[in-house]
Amino acid sequence: AVNLEVMTTDLVQGRPRRLPPVEDELLYFREQEWLELFPEPIVRSTVQAQESAPPQRVRTVGDVIAVMAADQGLHRLPVADLPVVVAARMSLSFPVLISAVPLWDVDTSTPEHTAFRAAWQRWLDRRVPPAGSVGAQEVLDAVGAGLPRVQAAKTWVSDGGITSNMPLHFFDAPLPRRPSFAINLRPRRGEREAVTLPTGAQDGLTRNRSGLEDGGPRSLPAFVSAIARTMQNWVDSEQMRMPGYRDRIVSVL
């Protein structure tokens, strides 16, 4: 089996996101918004995916949130059935050239959400019999009776390279079945070997240099370019020097 996993950047929360999302990330999309970006058959198949459909029977607080999201006209972003073109577009939505993709997010880190989950868990403990469930309409009726409603907030995702160009952790596992390596393209400087792979504990520690020292801040285009590269790549640059990472990265000059 081949697992497609990509990085995207959440511009509202200012952080990288992994796609498909992990199961505890509550990401949704609105059909009409996506019809402006993707072909209708792609949007239709995503809407019809089993994971996107709201539950008809409610057992957990997660089911409660899914029912409320559906009541707002939102569909859950599928994990197993995310179309390749959607994942590619969210990973490669290069700013200015390709528009960002709208998603809707339920932020589970806020105190309000903690209180929301506690209130609905108490309601479920009273209403749901052991190994049973309640209907989705009962959830909406309970909201009308005063229980809190969760509100999804709109977010925008763009090019994954904004925050991470070296997601080597995609290939990590507690018990890996095979070794994994990455290729890092670097500018040639001096007479170094064209292809290098660390072979000892002290190898791979050399930091990348931008070449700005040749022209200095007096060269405005080079100065601005160095600022942009630093903002984009500093996390990857530091991570590539860490033990467990640097010995798996082949540098090609």
Side-chain angles (χ1 to χ4, degrees):
V2 176
N3 294 327
L4 174 63
E5 299 184 15
V6 300
M7 295 295 294
T8 189
T9 300
D10 189 318
L11 299 178
V12 173
Q13 297 187 15
R15 66 182 182 94
R17 282 188 181 273
R18 184 172 182 164
L19 295 175
V22 295
E23 292 185 358
D24 60 346
E25 280 198 306
L26 306 178
L27 292 176
Y28 298 86
F29 67 95
R30 194 181 297 279
E31 181 177 359
Q32 291 304 315
E33 293 176 341
W34 275 25
L35 284 172
E36 299 177 4
L37 301 174
F38 301 106
E40 183 179 351
I42 295 296
V43 178
R44 188 186 312 117
S45 67
T46 311
V47 168
Q48 295 174 351
Q50 183 175 358
E51 296 173 278
S52 299
Q56 299 302 312
R57 305 296 299 179
V58 173
R59 298 179 177 84
T60 66
V61 177
D63 293 339
V64 171
I65 294 174
V67 169
M68 293 183 182
D71 191 52
Q72 299 173 41
L74 302 175
H75 302 274
R76 179 78 183 268
L77 190 69
V79 174
D81 297 319
L82 185 66
V84 173
V85 67
V86 172
R89 175 64 183 273
M90 288 195 282
S91 175
L92 299 173
S93 299
F94 193 80
V96 181
L97 297 179
I98 305 176
S99 61
V101 178
L103 288 176
W104 292 78
D105 169 71
V106 175
D107 189 352
T108 60
S109 65
T110 63
E112 293 79 10
H113 188 79
T114 301
F116 166 88
R117 295 188 71 91
W120 278 99
Q121 189 59 60
R122 290 192 297 269
W123 184 86
L124 290 171
D125 292 341
R126 294 194 304 267
R127 299 297 300 271
V128 178
S133 61
V134 297
Q137 186 59 46
E138 293 184 58
V139 171
L140 299 178
D141 293 342
V143 172
L147 263 72
R149 173 187 286 272
V150 68
Q151 290 291 340
K154 195 172 187 177
T155 189
W156 293 87
V157 298
S158 189
D159 189 78
I162 297 173
T163 50
S164 178
N165 273 313
M166 181 68 74
L168 187 54
H169 60 281
F170 277 2
F171 304 93
D172 293 342
L175 296 175
R177 294 181 297 169
R178 61 180 68 87
S180 57
F181 295 91
I183 298 175
N184 181 35
L185 303 180
R186 300 172 58 179
R188 176 179 282 277
R189 297 177 61 81
E191 298 300 327
R192 298 179 183 177
E193 295 184 39
V195 180
T196 58
L197 175 67
T199 57
Q202 299 304 315
D203 293 341
L205 293 174
T206 303
R207 297 184 185 275
N208 293 339
R209 302 185 67 86
S210 66
L212 184 65
E213 65 269 25
D214 297 335
R218 293 172 298 177
S219 175
L220 183 59
F223 186 53
V224 173
S225 178
I227 291 174
R229 284 197 304 270
T230 302
M231 294 171 60
Q232 180 183 26
N233 297 321
W234 74 268
V235 173
D236 290 328
S237 297
E238 290 299 295
Q239 180 174 271
M240 285 190 291
R241 300 176 70 250
M242 294 176 57
Y245 276 80
R246 66 172 181 261
D247 51 355
R248 295 187 289 158
I249 299 176
V250 180
S251 293
V252 179
L253 305 182

